Amino acid sequence: LFILDNHESNASCRVIDIAREHGIVLLTIPPHTSHKLQPLDCTVYGPFKAAYDRAADAWLRSHPGKTIYDIPALANEAITARNIISGFRSTGIFPFN
């Protein structure tokens, strides 16, 4: 399953043919609804941004005047499998609803 927004560049005949050849199901969502229907927008990116911002703020407060070089360490706990699965459930994609 490959979920796409309804932008015309995503639905070319070539894309559709390649998807069919490889057994990929294309699911397009209506325009201007991705913020509500795309699983990762709903439960991963927003919480990730908030969690990362909190971690970065805490690090900067405890290390005044220094630069953050270890970005992955700050992001490590912000994205979880639970968040990703929750995104698919909250949009009704899995289990299929």
Side-chain angles (χ1 to χ4, degrees):
L1 175 63
F2 192 68
I3 303 167
L4 306 162
D5 62 19
N6 216 5
H7 193 272
E8 64 186 51
S9 66
N10 294 332
S12 71
C13 290
R14 179 159 165 70
V15 168
I16 294 168
D17 289 341
I18 291 171
R20 280 186 186 147
E21 288 170 14
H22 292 90
I24 298 169
V25 175
L26 298 178
L27 172 67
T28 60
I29 58 175
H32 310 291
T33 60
S34 64
H35 65 290
K36 293 287 186 187
L37 297 177
Q38 286 184 335
L40 301 181
D41 285 353
C42 292
T43 61
V44 175
Y45 298 138
F48 171 76
K49 183 179 183 318
Y52 178 80
D53 287 347
R54 283 192 304 273
D57 288 344
W59 191 93
L60 290 169
R61 277 199 280 313
S62 64
H63 300 86
K66 295 190 177 179
T67 302
I68 300 173
Y69 291 104
D70 192 5
I71 303 299
L74 295 178
N76 189 36
E77 295 181 26
I79 294 181
T80 65
R82 194 168 123 208
N83 290 83
I84 295 168
I85 293 166
S86 174
F88 283 87
R89 281 195 181 112
S90 71
T91 57
I93 295 173
F94 178 85
F96 183 70
N97 181 353

